[in-house]
């Protein structure tokens, strides 16, 4: 824990830093805010450089290090990589660079997926996340004989941002993407992209009620809570502050973010990184 009560109190009152390529990480932000309402949260959406999901590993790593550096400079006590693509390709580099706990979204999602009964697990995400093979690696580490079926689903990102997550177009798109996973008789599907929890109802409709959907955002919030319990990092009071930063003009982030979060964001400040 801490060398003194004073140091402990000081660290506990610091914020949690959360970053994503854009608006999608607000699904993770929302789960953390609801599970840990007393915590001060600082969110950074790298909206000037979104999407990360179609970019090279080297570029996403550089972006992730620059976004994290901004949050670490704000004095955060924990870094949450709310982006699946950045978690897939940059987590070891972030952990090596910064002297604070770093939580990504992949390990928490994989832990939940490893509870599969028939050990036939589907994983969907951006091209970058699927190409990285990080989800299958993390699931196999826990469940070595699992059979894993992956599919990149890039069109789900713009559909969610357009507010069409439950539109007929989303249902037909999901049917097309998920057909091979349905044929493989998966009993669990990992929604391995920040935007996909918005499509939960559509995905469930296409897959049927028997397939369990794993929400990496929810699982990540639980991991943050567990880490805080273990390390005595939780801020005890309620009513945490929420601060939002973006790297492009905030207009679109504010509008789309409201739909992702379910309420208005308040002030969003534009900053420059990199
Ligand atoms: N946040 C990204 C992810 O979870 C999706 C959007 C993007 O491609 O940047 O992988």
């Amino acid at each position: 824990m801490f060398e003194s009560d004073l140091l402990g109190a000081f660290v506990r009152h610091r914020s949690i830093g959360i970053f994503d390529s854009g608006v999608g990480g607000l699904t993770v932000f929302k789960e953390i805010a609801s599970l840990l309402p007393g915590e001060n949260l600082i969110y950074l959406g790298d909206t000037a450089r979104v999407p990360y999901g179609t970019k090279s590993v080297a570029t996403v790593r550089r972006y992730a290090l620059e976004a994290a550096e901004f949050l670490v400079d704000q004095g955060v006590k924990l870094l949450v990589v709310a982006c699946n693509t950045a978690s897939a390709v940059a987590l070891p580099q972030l952990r090596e660079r910064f002297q604070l706990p770093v939580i990504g979204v992949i390990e928490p999602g994989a832990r939940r997926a490893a509870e599969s009964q028939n050990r036939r697990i589907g994983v969907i995400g951006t091209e970058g996340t699927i190409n990285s093979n990080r989800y299958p690696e993390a699931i196999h580490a826990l469940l070595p004989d699992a059979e894993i079926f992956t599919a990149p689903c890039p069109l789900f990102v713009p559909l969610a941002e357009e507010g069409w997550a439950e539109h007929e177009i989303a249902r037909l798109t999901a049917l097309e993407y998920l057909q091979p996973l349905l044929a493989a008789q998966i009993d669990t599907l990992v929604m391995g992209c920040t935007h996909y929890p918005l499509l939960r109802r559509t995905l469930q409709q296409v897959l049927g009620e028997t397939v369990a959907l794993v929400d990496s955002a929810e699982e990540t919030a639980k991991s943050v809570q567990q880490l805080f319990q273990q390390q005595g990092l939780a801020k005890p009071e309620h009513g945490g502050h929420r601060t939002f930063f973006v790297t492009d003009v905030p207009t679109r982030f504010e509008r789309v973010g409201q739909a992702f979060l379910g309420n208005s964001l308040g002030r969003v400040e534009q900053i420059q990184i990199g």
Side-chain angles (χ1 to χ4, degrees), residues 20-22 24-25 50-54 82-86 126 129 157 192-195:
D20 175 45
S21 54
V50 71
Y52 284 7
T54 51
C83 177
N84 284 260
T85 310
T126 64
T129 299
V157 169
C193 172
T194 48
H195 290 59

Side-chain angles (χ1 to χ4, degrees), residues 126-203:
T126 64
E127 279 171 56
T129 299
I130 298 304
N131 290 342
S132 77
N133 213 34
R134 276 299 297 131
Y135 268 109
E137 282 168 10
I139 297 168
H140 277 142
L142 302 163
L143 199 62
D145 61 349
E147 283 197 69
I148 304 184
F149 305 89
T150 61
C153 300
L155 289 178
F156 286 163
V157 169
L159 283 170
E161 293 199 9
E162 195 62 27
W164 287 2
E166 294 180 13
H167 192 287
E168 180 62 5
I169 294 174
R171 197 186 66 80
L172 291 172
T173 309
L175 205 57
E176 186 71 28
Y177 280 145
L178 300 180
Q179 202 56 56
L181 279 62
L182 269 169
Q185 298 184 315
I186 56 163
D187 77 347
T188 303
L189 178 75
V190 180
M191 299 186 284
C193 172
T194 48
H195 290 59
Y196 298 178
L198 275 90
L199 286 111
R200 179 185 262 279
R201 293 224 308 235
T202 301
L203 298 174

